[in-house]
Amino acid sequence: MASVEIGSVKKYYGDIEVLHGVSIDIADGEFVVLVGPSGCGKSTLLRMIAGLEEISEGDILINGLLVNDLPPKKRNLAMVFQSYALYPHMTVAENMGFSLRLAKQPKKLIDQEVRRAAEILDLQAYLDRYPRHLSGGQRQRVAMGRAIVRNPKVFLFDEPLSNLDAKLRGQMRAELKSLHQRLGTTTIYVTHDQTEAMTLADRMVVMKDGNVEQIGSPMDVFRNPANQFVAGFIGSPPMNFIAGKATEEGISVGDGEMIATDGVGRTTSDRPVYLGVRPKHLLVGSSAGPVNFPFHVELVEPTGDEVELTGRLFGQRVTAITPAMYVRSGETVPVALPPQSLFLFDRVSGERIAPL
Ligand code: ADP
Ligand code: MG
C-alpha cells in the first residue's frame, strides 16, 4: 500500500496547457475519486500517475518516492480502463495471469494469485471460460482480477463502469466498494458521474477545466460547495440557481421580491448573485412556510414516492422534488424557500458568498 502526493502538476500538449497546477495528497489506503465533466483532465492526471504520460511540471511521489522519471512497470500500480481489453483467445485464468507470465513468475505462484483473485471477485466458476462467454459485468470483474493478481500498491480506475447498464453499474459500484474495504489498497478512481463519486469516495476531488475546484468528503462537498460550479455539479437533480441582486435590504429576485437570508449577502452596493436551492429544499404546498411564492408548474414527473416538478419561480426555471402529491401541469402552487437551505453565489465569479 502507498500514499500518493501530487504537487503542482501541469500538463502541456504542445502549447496547450490542459492541467494548470494540480495538488492532491492521497493517504495510504484512501479511496479518492477524481470527478468532473468530460475534458477536464481526469484521465490525463491518472495517466501521469501511472507513468503513461509525461509530467510537464510538478512532482508525483508514491510512498514518498519521486516517480516523475520512473517507468510504469516500476511504479507498482495497476490500472483498469473503461474498455476491459481482455484477450479474446485467452481464458479468464490466462487473462488474469498474463502480467505475471510476462514477468516470468513461476507457474505455481501465478496459479495461486489467479485463484486468490478469482475468489475475491467470485469468478472461480469461470476460470476456464473465454471472454465472449461472459456478461459485461463478469468481463469487468476479470479486468479487475488482472489488476488484483499483481498485488499493486495503488489501483487506478478510469471510468471502469461506463460501459455497463445502469443496474449492473450499481451492483459493480457496491462490489468495488466492498473490494476496497477488504483489501484496503489505495485507490484513485476517475469518473464524470457524480453519483459514482458520491457513493464510492472517501474523498472526492472535483475538477473543471484542468483545475481542482474542491477536495473533501462527499457529504462535506455536498453540504458546503466552494462555488457555483461544484454546487451545480454535485447533487442530482442539480441545484437551482435563481438570478437576483444582493442589496442593502437583502436578496431581491424577479420583480423585486425580497428573500430572507438571515442577513447574509446584504451589501451597500447592489451585487449580482445567484440564489442556490436544491430541488428537495423547495418546499411545495400551502403549509410549506410562513412566506410563500407562486410556482407555476409546467411539467409533472412522478418517480414513485416522489414527484419532480419543473416550472417557473420568479420568472425563472426551477425544479422541485416533493413527496408524491396531486399537482397538475399548468397549476400554480405556493413554495417556501427556507433560509437555512439557501446558498448564495457571486453571479460573476461563481464564488460562494459566506455560508448562509
Ligand atoms: P477527461 O478524462 O477529464 O475527459 P482528458 O484528460 O482526456 O479529460 O483531457 C483533458 C484535455 O486534454 C482535453 O481538452 C483533451 O482534448 C486534451 N487532450 C487529451 N489527450 C490529448 C493528447 N494526446 N493530445 C492533445 N490533447 C489532448
Ligand atoms: Mg477521461
Side-chain angles (χ1 to χ4, degrees):
M1 295 213 282
S3 62
V4 179
E5 288 165 61
I6 300 163
S8 309
V9 161
K10 290 192 179 182
K11 178 68 186 176
Y12 296 92
Y13 286 114
D15 291 339
I16 301 172
E17 188 178 305
V18 299
L19 285 176
H20 311 297
V22 168
S23 297
I24 310 165
D25 276 346
I26 298 166
D28 185 18
E30 222 180 353
F31 197 126
V32 166
V33 178
L34 310 180
V35 62
S38 172
C40 71
K42 308 178 293 292
S43 294
T44 301
L45 184 58
L46 201 70
R47 293 170 58 80
M48 286 161 98
I49 299 167
L52 303 171
E53 203 68 74
E54 203 183 316
I55 299 164
S56 310
E57 267 179 51
D59 294 328
I60 296 183
L61 288 82
I62 299 175
N63 251 355
L65 177 75
L66 185 71
V67 299
N68 285 37
D69 298 316
L70 208 61
K73 264 196 283 191
K74 299 215 165 140
R75 295 193 188 192
N76 221 330
L77 317 164
M79 191 150 167
V80 179
F81 300 92
Q82 174 180 350
S83 56
Y84 341 114
L86 301 179
Y87 298 107
H89 58 287
M90 289 184 197
T91 63
V92 166
E94 286 164 350
N95 263 288
M96 294 208 293
F98 185 69
S99 67
L100 297 180
R101 268 204 312 286
L102 213 59
K104 303 228 170 8
Q105 296 292 327
K107 183 163 183 320
K108 208 171 147 201
L109 178 103
I110 300 176
D111 286 348
Q112 187 186 316
E113 283 302 311
V114 167
R115 263 203 307 276
R116 181 181 68 92
E119 210 168 294
I120 290 170
L121 294 163
D122 213 7
L123 283 170
Q124 298 103 314
Y126 303 94
L127 285 173
D128 295 326
R129 290 209 197 170
Y130 288 90
R132 64 178 176 279
H133 296 134
L134 300 177
S135 68
Q138 289 164 338
R139 281 181 215 177
Q140 189 53 279
R141 241 180 273 151
V142 176
M144 285 177 205
R146 259 194 326 204
I148 291 173
V149 295
R150 297 171 54 196
N151 274 314
K153 287 209 182 89
V154 182
F155 283 123
L156 305 177
F157 290 101
D158 194 348
E159 313 243 7
L161 308 184
S162 298
N163 277 344
L164 306 177
D165 65 49
K167 185 162 172 236
L168 200 51
R169 211 157 50 225
Q171 273 172 24
M172 291 296 288
R173 214 161 62 203
E175 285 187 25
L176 265 169
K177 192 157 183 159
S178 109
L179 185 71
H180 178 255
Q181 279 162 5
R182 278 175 289 151
L183 300 180
T185 310
T186 311
T187 301
I188 309 176
Y189 185 103
V190 160
T191 181
H192 65 276
D193 178 2
Q194 66 88 31
T195 312
E196 256 173 47
M198 287 293 286
T199 50
L200 283 172
D202 291 327
R203 277 193 308 152
M204 59 189 194
V205 178
V206 185
M207 293 178 64
K208 180 193 164 212
D209 297 339
N211 288 307
V212 170
E213 298 285 315
Q214 189 168 4
I215 302 181
S217 73
M219 282 323 287
D220 188 32
V221 172
F222 182 81
R223 290 196 181 126
N224 252 317
N227 55 44
Q228 192 199 351
F229 171 77
V230 174
F233 192 76
I234 300 298
S236 175
M239 185 184 282
N240 296 297
F241 296 110
I242 300 166
K245 249 185 352 218
T247 70
E248 214 164 339
E249 285 87 44
I251 309 299
S252 99
V253 291
D255 299 327
E257 276 132 314
M258 299 305 293
I259 308 286
T261 57
D262 292 347
V264 177
R266 218 165 270 186
T267 52
T268 46
S269 58
D270 290 0
R271 175 182 185 182
V273 294
Y274 279 117
L275 195 63
V277 56
R278 295 202 184 274
K280 273 202 179 166
H281 296 157
L282 271 177
L283 302 180
V284 181
S286 50
S287 57
V291 187
N292 294 314
F293 302 97
F295 176 32
H296 307 289
V297 178
E298 292 168 349
L299 191 66
V300 179
E301 296 169 283
T303 56
D305 285 343
E306 295 177 321
V307 192
E308 196 170 319
L309 305 174
T310 309
R312 295 196 171 266
L313 179 64
F314 313 118
Q316 303 183 42
R317 174 167 289 263
V318 297
T319 299
I321 305 255
T322 80
M325 58 186 289
Y326 197 66
V327 183
R328 272 177 303 190
S329 61
E331 261 185 271
T332 296
V333 294
V335 297
L337 299 158
Q340 70 279 11
S341 45
L342 297 177
F343 294 85
L344 206 57
F345 304 95
D346 186 289
R347 217 193 306 165
V348 182
S349 69
E351 283 313 302
R352 175 96 175 268
I353 299 169
L356 296 182

